[in-house]
């Protein structure tokens, strides 16, 4: 059984995100204000006949309440605390989405491979950035921007055809859902590794690609 790590609070612990009992508005503001991440509001969940449905109206939505609400979502992206507060004030239950390719890229891998990679990274004493775990059993490792251009060659150098691994670099034009965004009734996005002062400076994908590729290879 995999256990999502809860960082123990201490003098160096970050104040984001205080998810329990905190509104999505306050959490989004914290991401913009304390981490300087760009954010934008996504879809939200609505109660329909006693069940939670996505605001997009698609009864078969694959990520209910956890995807962009508009096709031109890139026009909504902001790093301004004031604008962030105004957008979530208009729709307080909107999901919190973080665009990649700006302050960070994300390496998307299956949950099983992600936890295996985390264990190897700890043994190797690698410096990690934040890592999320989603209800659809995916994990996102935050790394420096530019990973999308590097990953294919890095994977080839490790002896893997890029298409053979379930490992995707998310960069410009993509996004990730941030905690505590919910995927319908499936649950909420969680931190496997929380944002802290120690991981404010993100690793380069080159530092993490070996254990990630190894874990994805084992997970095939």
């Amino acid at each position: 059984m995999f256990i999502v790590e809860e960082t123990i609070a201490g003098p160096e612990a970050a104040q984001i995100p205080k998810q329990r009992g905190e509104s999505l508005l306050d959490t989004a503001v914290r991401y913009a204000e304390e981490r300087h991440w760009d954010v934008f509001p996504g879809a939200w969940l609505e109660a329909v006949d006693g069940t939670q449905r996505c605001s997009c109206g698609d009864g078969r939505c694959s990520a209910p309440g956890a995807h962009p609400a508009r096709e031109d979502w890139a026009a909504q992206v902001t790093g301004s605390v004031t604008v962030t507060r105004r957008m979530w004030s208009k729709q307080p239950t909107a999901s919190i989405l973080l665009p990649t390719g700006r302050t960070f890229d994300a390496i998307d891998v299956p949950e099983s491979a992600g936890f295996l990679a985390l264990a190897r990274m700890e043994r190797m004493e690698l410096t990690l950035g934040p890592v999320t775990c989603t209800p659809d059993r995916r994990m996102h490792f935050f790394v420096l921007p530019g990973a999308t251009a590097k990953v294919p060659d890095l994977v080839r150098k490790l002896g893997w055809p890029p298409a053979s691994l379930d490992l995707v670099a998310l960069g410009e034009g993509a996004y990730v859902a941030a905690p505590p965004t919910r995927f319908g009734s499936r649950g909420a996005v969680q931190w496997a590794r929380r944002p802290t002062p120690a991981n404010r400076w993100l690793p380069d994908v080159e530092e993490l690609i070996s254990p990630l590729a190894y874990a994805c290879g084992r997970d095939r």
Side-chain angles (χ1 to χ4, degrees):
M1 176 180 178
F2 293 124
I3 298 176
V4 175
E5 179 249 20
E6 290 289 339
T7 304
I8 298 174
E12 294 299 316
Q15 295 302 305
I16 58 171
K18 292 180 180 177
Q19 292 170 27
R20 292 183 181 178
E22 186 172 50
S23 69
L24 287 162
L25 183 156
D26 290 336
T27 304
V29 166
R30 283 179 177 273
Y31 290 141
E33 184 173 40
E34 299 179 11
R35 200 71 181 191
H36 303 297
W37 284 340
D38 290 336
V39 299
F40 70 98
W44 56 91
L45 297 173
E46 299 176 332
V48 179
D49 296 328
T51 61
Q52 294 290 316
R53 300 285 182 87
C54 184
S55 62
C56 71
D58 184 352
R60 295 179 294 177
C61 181
S62 60
H67 62 82
R70 301 168 22 173
E71 290 187 5
D72 64 339
W73 60 264
Q76 290 184 292
V77 171
T78 183
S80 164
V81 171
T82 301
V83 175
T84 297
R85 191 178 300 279
R86 183 167 64 244
M87 288 194 296
W88 266 271
S89 293
K90 292 180 180 178
Q91 183 47 255
T93 58
S95 55
I96 303 173
L97 305 180
L98 310 175
T100 51
R102 293 175 178 241
T103 51
F104 64 86
D105 280 2
I107 307 302
D108 178 343
V109 299
E111 180 184 271
S112 52
F115 278 109
L116 176 60
L118 278 177
R120 288 177 63 85
M121 291 172 187
E122 288 174 352
R123 290 196 297 271
M124 297 167 69
E125 298 184 346
L126 297 180
T127 300
L128 291 170
V131 182
T132 63
C133 186
T134 71
D136 57 355
R137 304 185 71 82
R138 306 294 297 184
M139 292 180 73
H140 296 129
F141 289 72
F142 290 23
V143 296
L144 288 172
T148 52
K150 297 178 180 180
V151 162
D153 284 342
L154 291 172
V155 169
R156 288 191 192 95
K157 289 178 181 178
L158 291 170
W160 297 96
S164 71
L165 299 182
D166 188 1
L167 183 157
V168 180
L170 303 176
E172 187 175 356
Y175 64 89
V176 296
T181 294
R182 296 191 64 83
F183 279 56
S185 61
R186 282 177 271 168
V189 183
Q190 301 180 60
W191 290 113
R193 290 294 182 273
R194 292 179 180 273
T196 69
N199 64 24
R200 182 174 295 277
W201 302 106
L202 300 176
D204 192 286
V205 67
E206 294 181 30
E207 301 171 51
L208 308 186
I209 195 64
S210 179
L212 283 171
Y214 170 81
C216 288
R218 285 278 303 272
D219 198 54
R220 291 192 305 169

